[in-house]
Amino acid sequence: MTARPNLPDPADVRRTILKILFEGQASHLGTSMSMVEILIAAYGACDVGAIRRGENGRDRVFVSKGHGAACTYSVMHHFGLLDAATIATYHRNGSVLAGHVSHAVAGVEHSTGALGHGLPVAVGAAIGLRSKGFDDALVFCVMGDGEIQEGAVWEALMLAHHQKLNRLIPIVDNNRISSIKATKEVINLEPLADRFRGFGFAVHDIDGHDVAALTNAIATIRAGDKPSVIVANTTKGKGVPFAENQPIWHYRSLNQETYDQAVAALKGGVS
């Protein structure tokens, strides 16, 4: 299986992220840019129409690293789940589109930002879907590599393996920066893939900026019968040279000069 030809262009999604971050004077540029292809591949594997209609047996995408809200909402916009008028309100007073994802937004499964909580809820959703006979529904959970220092993540993984949840697809955005410093300086998680294997999971350790590789990994997991994890190796701030691998861009907002530089780096206008 290869990436669908009608998937959003990552550069277009990144331009939308830049636009809403600049106009809303919001932060979290680095973490939003690292997860673009991950969410494109995840939503690309889902029945987006069923998500839009809120069907009980719908595929589900949990964004546990909730500070990636600008990316989440931008990808949802490019998949037709958020209209242009709504996404233009990002991070504005009175908007439902805050700096962390919220289930006040139609199509968002769970409010996150208190890290480590998304995967336990995703595990519960996967168990619930199976109990209702929706055996083919996919449940994605996107986590940050810093986030998986949380103990609740590993408790959820143990339960997922015990319950043989082979339609649950945890994806780690492994950008190797945990908020203000390198993740390994906080808690060294390496060898990361081996840690998941030790919990009984098959591991797809891939380039997290390759939509085709992500899509193929998802297809392989879907066709198999073993609980699996995708370790998506990414660059924080991807596509914006002055922000790449720079921890400060977890917090810093764009001014006119840096916005113009970022848009120019993506070689095109804003979508």
Side-chain angles (χ1 to χ4, degrees):
M1 179 178 179
T2 56
R4 289 188 343 216
N6 59 336
L7 292 179
D9 184 333
D12 289 340
V13 174
R14 286 190 167 88
R15 282 189 280 272
T16 301
I17 293 169
L18 290 173
K19 184 173 190 281
I20 65 174
L21 287 179
F22 174 61
E23 293 182 350
Q25 279 301 284
S27 57
H28 297 148
L29 182 152
T31 193
S32 287
M33 291 298 188
S34 69
M35 62 192 287
V36 169
E37 288 83 2
I38 292 170
L39 281 182
I40 288 173
Y43 277 101
C46 294
D47 181 343
V48 174
I51 294 174
R52 185 182 300 109
R53 294 185 295 272
E55 295 180 6
N56 289 337
R58 68 188 180 277
D59 302 313
R60 285 162 165 80
V61 179
F62 290 86
V63 180
S64 192
K65 50 170 289 184
H67 45 285
C71 177
T72 303
Y73 296 142
S74 294
V75 171
M76 289 175 67
H77 169 62
H78 283 272
F79 274 95
L81 293 169
L82 276 178
D83 62 34
T86 300
I87 198 167
T89 70
Y90 181 76
H91 209 252
R92 307 295 185 91
N93 289 340
S95 175
V96 295
L97 304 185
H100 289 79
V101 296
S102 169
H103 69 274
V105 180
V108 172
E109 297 293 345
H110 185 58
S111 299
T112 52
L115 298 177
H117 294 183
L119 185 62
V121 177
V123 167
I127 292 172
L129 284 163
R130 187 171 64 186
S131 75
K132 298 294 186 181
F134 300 117
D135 296 329
D136 292 330
L138 296 175
V139 179
F140 292 94
C141 183
V142 180
M143 303 176 287
D145 60 322
E147 175 183 6
I148 62 176
Q149 297 166 3
E150 299 280 354
V153 170
W154 301 94
E155 294 174 28
L157 287 167
M158 284 191 288
L159 179 58
H161 181 263
H162 179 74
Q163 291 289 333
K164 298 180 174 59
L165 300 179
N166 59 319
R167 291 297 180 269
L168 171 73
I169 306 180
I171 306 178
V172 179
D173 179 6
N174 190 33
N175 63 35
R176 300 177 179 84
I177 295 177
S178 179
S179 187
I180 61 172
K181 62 172 65 176
T183 305
K184 67 181 180 182
E185 295 179 21
V186 182
I187 295 179
N188 190 353
L189 300 167
E190 298 299 337
L192 183 56
D194 287 347
R195 293 180 187 271
F196 288 114
R197 291 187 185 106
F199 276 69
F201 284 75
V203 179
H204 297 261
D205 195 353
I206 60 177
D207 179 355
H209 296 304
D210 185 336
V211 175
L214 287 159
T215 301
N216 289 337
I218 292 166
T220 299
I221 294 168
R222 192 172 204 165
D225 60 2
K226 184 174 183 179
S228 304
V229 171
I230 296 174
V231 175
N233 298 297
T234 62
T235 299
K236 196 160 189 176
K238 176 71 173 178
V240 181
F242 60 78
E244 289 188 354
N245 294 315
Q246 299 300 314
I248 190 62
W249 283 99
H250 188 82
Y251 300 102
R252 184 172 286 169
S253 299
L254 293 160
N255 58 27
Q256 188 68 59
E257 180 182 3
T258 52
Y259 173 67
D260 291 344
Q261 289 175 4
V263 171
L266 291 172
K267 295 182 175 62
V270 179
S271 60

